[in-house]
Amino acid sequence: MPRDVRVALIGAGSAAQVVHLPILKRLPDLEVVVIIDPQERKARTIAQRFDIPNVHAEIAALSEHPEIDAVVVCTPNDDHEAPVITALELGKHVLCERPLSTTSESAARMIDAARSAQRQLMVAMNERYRYDNRAIRQFVTSGELGDIILVRNTWLVRPTRRPRRGWRRDRTRSGGGVVMDLGASALDLAWWVLGFPAIERVSATLHRRDGVEETAVIMAAVAGGLSINIEVSWELSDARDEHAFYLLGTRGSARTAPFRVMADMETGLKDVTPPLTVDAARLYTESYRQEWAEFLRYVRGEKEIRVQDEQIALMRTIEACYRSAEEGREVTT
């Protein structure tokens, strides 16, 4: 049987309360033993709700808990580096909410710290753990869809779901608007499905309000002529959000929402969509559970540590997107 895993939570905001704590409290052989948040009164209220015994206001208090195996960092984007590096230097594995940081330089420092500590630093890109996205990646990796020509990822949410205040609308804290909120994950998924080919050039158009972009269109040119198109917005006027991934190859295509894979076989074009093991309505929430299952395999030593160097390149690409929008031209990465 796997040994018990003891976890510390740094940052008690919405991601911690809505996503991580409900999952962690249901996992067997795992205990959340510490919450660390500068708003100590709020943290104590959350600790009581989830039956967590220890609360601290300062990251330095992590050193008082040598029993902790892993840390999940849910602080604002600009406040990831200090807790991540502190936890790594104390010998803890770290799951950090996306994006890893607001700059590529900061991301590089965290990756270097993970390499030196020989601990897993995993960025919470939960879209990688959706069953439909993982199935599409397998088709791409196997070559069954031929050479990939185009990848398009659209993530549009209604204004009722956009952040109206707080650090996500403060560019100095978030690093940007919808590009950091949704675009980093959307670009990461497209790039991951393709196996992280070199991105050569990007062009981006941003529509800003109150200092941060609320809609963005990103076009990334990949070596070999492949194109990645990303469309993200907080401003969709519709009855429901639109979240769809589409991929076109020389011998087939794949998409989500609805999930479908078509392949050109010897007998003609065939629907080769594999059955989902989870109801479509639960794909998003289940992805977080699968993300935690993967992270815990690293923590328990069941999987070899993997340094996520691609997160540095992802941040460089996002920085290039902002330069492109500011300068009104295509930018080389």
Side-chain angles (χ1 to χ4, degrees):
M1 294 294 291
R3 66 182 176 88
D4 288 349
V5 172
R6 294 175 176 85
V7 174
L9 173 73
I10 301 180
S14 58
Q17 296 179 55
V18 176
V19 175
H20 296 288
L21 283 174
I23 292 173
L24 294 176
K25 295 305 291 184
R26 290 180 172 86
L27 290 178
D29 303 312
L30 183 148
E31 181 185 7
V32 182
V33 296
V34 181
I35 292 182
I36 300 175
D37 192 288
Q39 298 182 49
E40 193 169 357
R41 182 175 178 181
K42 178 184 76 172
R44 290 194 179 281
T45 300
I46 296 166
Q48 291 174 358
R49 186 191 315 160
F50 288 96
D51 193 25
I52 299 169
N54 301 289
V55 175
H56 301 288
E58 301 294 333
I59 296 169
L62 190 61
S63 63
E64 301 173 17
H65 296 274
E67 76 279 11
I68 290 171
D69 303 290
V71 171
V72 53
V73 175
C74 299
T75 52
N77 295 349
D78 71 325
D79 194 25
H80 285 176
E81 184 175 346
V84 164
I85 291 179
T86 297
L88 290 169
E89 290 178 343
L90 289 170
K92 319 301 182 185
H93 299 276
V94 180
L95 177 65
C96 181
E97 262 302 330
R98 66 176 193 261
L100 181 56
S101 189
T102 58
T103 70
S104 58
E105 290 83 1
S106 175
R109 287 191 291 269
M110 287 185 265
I111 294 297
D112 287 344
R115 185 179 285 108
S116 297
Q118 297 183 10
R119 291 295 183 269
Q120 185 63 44
L121 169 57
M122 180 170 149
V123 184
M125 294 293 185
N126 65 291
E127 288 289 300
R128 295 186 185 186
Y129 298 94
R130 282 179 50 140
Y131 289 103
D132 49 359
N133 291 334
R134 293 182 79 82
I136 291 172
R137 187 173 191 256
Q138 289 176 351
F139 277 99
V140 172
T141 302
S142 70
E144 293 176 76
L145 303 181
D147 296 328
I148 306 305
I149 302 168
L150 170 67
V151 176
R152 180 185 180 193
N153 201 352
T154 300
W155 198 347
L156 314 176
V157 301
R158 293 159 293 169
T160 53
R161 295 188 55 199
R162 74 179 176 217
R164 300 188 179 192
R165 59 185 184 278
W167 65 265
R168 285 183 177 84
R169 294 199 71 89
D170 181 351
R171 190 174 181 180
T172 61
R173 304 224 63 194
S174 63
V178 73
V179 169
M180 286 293 190
D181 184 36
L182 305 180
S185 180
L187 181 57
D188 178 86
L189 174 65
W191 200 30
W192 171 78
V193 165
L194 296 171
F196 306 117
I199 296 176
E200 298 180 336
R201 306 179 309 280
V202 296
S203 178
T205 301
L206 310 181
H207 299 274
R208 289 192 172 103
R209 182 167 61 178
D210 299 329
V212 296
E213 74 279 0
E214 297 194 325
T215 297
V217 177
I218 298 168
M219 292 171 284
V222 178
L226 169 62
S227 176
I228 298 175
N229 293 351
I230 305 295
E231 300 160 356
V232 288
S233 181
W234 290 332
E235 292 296 307
L236 177 65
S237 298
D238 207 337
R240 63 189 64 179
D241 298 343
E242 181 179 343
H243 191 183
F245 180 80
Y246 180 79
L247 180 146
L248 175 64
T250 55
R251 292 196 288 113
S253 65
R255 64 174 301 159
T256 62
F259 179 41
R260 185 166 65 248
V261 182
M262 303 295 293
D264 190 2
M265 316 283 284
E266 291 182 1
T267 54
L269 190 63
K270 300 294 182 183
D271 186 336
V272 293
T273 310
L276 289 176
T277 56
V278 63
D279 183 85
R282 293 175 49 235
L283 282 170
Y284 191 72
T285 54
E286 185 63 23
S287 69
Y288 285 104
R289 300 182 193 279
Q290 295 304 313
E291 174 184 86
W292 265 102
E294 175 83 341
F295 179 59
L296 290 174
R297 283 191 280 271
Y298 291 116
V299 175
R300 289 174 170 140
E302 299 167 358
K303 195 166 184 177
E304 187 176 348
I305 298 298
R306 188 184 83 80
V307 178
Q308 292 191 320
D309 299 273
E310 75 276 358
Q311 294 302 316
I312 304 171
L314 176 69
M315 292 311 305
R316 287 177 181 151
T317 302
I318 290 173
E319 289 168 343
C321 290
Y322 283 118
R323 289 201 310 274
S324 171
E326 293 292 340
E327 298 172 12
R329 65 179 182 88
E330 186 178 66
V331 170
T332 301
T333 58

